Amino acid sequence: MHRPVPLHKGAAINHPRHPIQQGWSVAFVMSPRIGDTLISMVVANNLVRHGIDVTVFSRHLHAMRKWFPGFRIEPELHAAQARNRLEHFDVMLHAYESDVLDDARDWHPRVWVMDRWPTYRQVKPMVDIQLDLCRHCFGLDGLTRDNGLVVPVDVGVTAVGNRVIIHPTASDLQKQWLPGRFLKLARRLRARGYDPSFVVAPREHAQWEWVEAQGFRLVSHASLDDLARWLATARIFVGNDSGLAHLASNVGVPAVSLAMRPRIAVRWAPGWALSLAVTAPPLMPGRWLREHSWKYLLSVRKVDAAVERLRRRVSEAVLAFDQGPAGERMTNKSMINANPIAQAPMTKSRA
């Protein structure tokens, strides 16, 4: 996930104005990172709700286009086809500079990069930042935190038993907690009656087959649609600060995410279903030392306690997965809605 340098807390923010006029068309060229893409869809959804013609270009969302029925979603663009496909749009919108296609500024008058604007650099949850962009930069009102995801009718919304999905990898090795500690966490969760399962990308499967030898299920899905469907069956998601934590939250699963530093935890905690971001104790001075030592300083006990704390928040019961007969057990959605301290409405609605 992209890590821009945020503003300091309390810094004055000069919100640049980029009003989008009615009748304009917007090409939203999404990040190749799934977490950034899901977060950016908050902006896309609010633009569409205000009558703006938006076309989304994204490999991830094109694979999940059934989950976003209110949008025009095209596959990821390649440089050779970019100008022919995009030059007729009034605005080309991006989250990050790295998402801009080659020489786009040479042939398009409005190439906008949100990360260049001070509004995007605030130290606050990223979903809230998207709302600030809509409010202060685009001049929109009547906003929603919803990014437009709608769970397809053929996807079950009731969690399966006591399943906890553990995602032990990340795009950057520096962001990954120690593999052995994930295993110890899984053992602790199993001892308390949970059913832990591990999920990794297909290219990572061979490196993680050892968890199967330890008696735990290991799942890989080549299709993002299939992965989202499986994530939706979990009671709780636990993983590194990564795109999968945002996807789990987006499909309605409470998430515990493990972050290197407190500011990262504030900005990048999953923003839809109730979540907790866990960081190591601040024992090391300096950003570099904290980012290299956090995985050693963050204990299994602390992460296990976070899972328990999150479970109590979403269920207000002794065991989230043991509330009487199966027909009386709550779905993730009802658990969140029943919880008065949930920080955001869920988007786990049905088409």
Side-chain angles (χ1 to χ4, degrees), residues 106-222:
D106 294 338
W107 47 264
H108 201 286
R110 297 187 191 91
V111 178
W112 294 353
V113 178
M114 298 185 297
D115 182 52
R116 285 173 163 253
W117 307 338
T119 308
Y120 207 86
R121 302 299 186 90
Q122 300 174 87
V123 183
K124 63 194 302 186
M126 284 302 297
V127 171
D128 292 336
I129 290 174
Q130 309 309 301
L131 297 180
D132 281 352
L133 289 167
C134 292
R135 184 180 300 111
H136 300 301
C137 299
F138 298 136
L140 307 181
D141 54 17
L143 303 175
T144 177
R145 298 175 65 85
D146 184 4
N147 69 351
L149 182 145
V150 178
V151 177
V153 293
D154 61 337
V155 177
V157 296
T158 302
V160 175
N162 51 2
R163 178 175 293 164
V164 176
I165 292 178
I166 296 174
H167 179 231
T169 64
S171 57
D172 184 348
L173 283 174
Q174 190 169 287
K175 300 195 309 181
Q176 292 186 193
W177 198 35
L178 299 173
R181 295 194 181 179
F182 275 114
L183 177 61
K184 290 179 181 178
L185 175 66
R187 287 172 173 163
R188 279 176 173 254
L189 293 174
R190 174 177 284 176
R192 293 218 314 276
Y194 289 94
D195 178 21
S197 296
F198 286 76
V199 60
V200 296
R203 67 180 183 279
E204 301 165 333
H205 194 279
Q207 302 169 19
W208 284 86
E209 288 179 348
W210 58 270
V211 302
E212 292 182 308
Q214 299 297 320
F216 294 100
R217 185 181 182 192
L218 178 65
V219 175
S220 297
H221 288 289

Side-chain angles (χ1 to χ4, degrees), residues 308-330:
E308 175 66 9
R309 190 161 67 252
L310 181 62
R311 194 250 335 137
R312 287 185 179 276
R313 288 185 179 184
V314 298
S315 67
E316 296 183 347
V318 176
L319 286 176
F321 51 82
D322 189 15
Q323 297 299 304
E328 299 175 8
R329 296 176 186 175
M330 294 185 290

Side-chain angles (χ1 to χ4, degrees), residues 251-284:
V251 300
V253 178
V256 173
S257 62
L258 315 182
M260 292 188 293
R261 295 184 289 113
R263 285 196 176 192
I264 291 175
V266 170
R267 283 171 58 86
W268 295 102
W272 292 284
L274 186 64
S275 68
L276 287 175
V278 185
T279 59
L283 301 179
M284 291 292 183

